[in-house]
Amino acid sequence: MHALRVAPGKAMAIGLLITTAAIGCSSKSAPSSVATTTGQPTATAAAPTTSTAATASASSTGVQNLAVSTAVRSELLAAFAANHNIPVSDVAGSTPGSVYYGYVPSTGTYWAMGSYEPASTDSLTVKVSFQDGGETGLFKKVGSGPWQAEMGGVPPYCAEISYFPQSVLEAWSLPTTVPAGGKC
């Protein structure tokens, strides 16, 4: 499978167009702040969101699919940049619709995932580090501890399946097994 690379400025414009179209097609009025919406599939994106992490939905396994607050986005971005050994300013931001966030009450563990774009002013070395799964951050936080970050991989489902509990992937409606014909 080949990935399509879009310049960060164009990605933002495309994301805004998609967001505008989705809001225009919604029968419910959208929240005034797009920054606090979840990166979940469209079916859960209509769930109410607030400026703090709020439960968007709970799965049958007890996993809470959470809305992503601005504060959580900032924490994840900082953990991603630290894992890459780059300043936060070298990251243009998260790819629209790519941030997932959940909580497992039975273990007191928060889980998150997001894809990030390099800043347009980054060196070629930094831009290359965002390729081949390096643009994806896989995150875990126990209780009020710090976020622990790992980089994704290619193909993406391999890293996700090995990093996240199956119940979390199910709550996010992401694959929990390697697709037929796929290899890890």
Side-chain angles (χ1 to χ4, degrees):
M1 185 163 104
H2 297 281
L4 175 64
R5 288 275 182 205
V6 179
K10 289 182 181 178
M12 184 181 299
I14 292 169
L16 288 173
L17 285 172
I18 292 170
T19 302
T20 303
I23 291 170
C25 293
S26 176
S27 62
K28 297 181 181 181
S29 58
S32 60
S33 173
V34 175
T36 60
T37 60
T38 91
Q40 309 310 316
T42 307
T44 60
T49 59
T50 64
S51 61
T52 59
T55 303
S57 64
S59 71
S60 60
T61 60
V63 175
Q64 297 173 358
N65 193 7
L66 303 175
V68 183
S69 70
T70 302
V72 169
R73 283 185 190 277
S74 295
E75 292 171 6
L76 295 176
L77 176 63
F80 176 84
N83 186 277
H84 262 287
N85 294 314
I86 59 175
V88 171
S89 61
D90 278 355
V91 184
S94 60
T95 304
S98 73
V99 180
Y100 292 79
Y101 180 42
Y103 177 67
V104 180
S106 63
T107 62
T109 306
Y110 293 89
W111 298 91
M113 177 173 65
S115 293
Y116 297 88
E117 295 286 336
S120 61
T121 56
D122 286 347
S123 68
L124 182 58
T125 302
V126 171
K127 289 179 181 177
V128 168
S129 74
F130 279 71
Q131 294 180 354
D132 300 327
E135 75 281 2
T136 302
L138 310 174
F139 307 97
K140 175 183 177 180
K141 178 171 105 166
V142 179
S144 60
W147 283 103
Q148 300 165 5
E150 289 189 22
M151 293 305 104
V154 176
Y157 55 79
C158 291
E160 295 165 11
I161 291 169
S162 65
Y163 187 80
F164 295 107
Q166 182 174 350
S167 59
V168 170
L169 293 172
E170 288 171 353
W172 292 343
S173 298
L174 295 176
T176 58
T177 60
V178 176
K183 294 182 181 180
C184 288

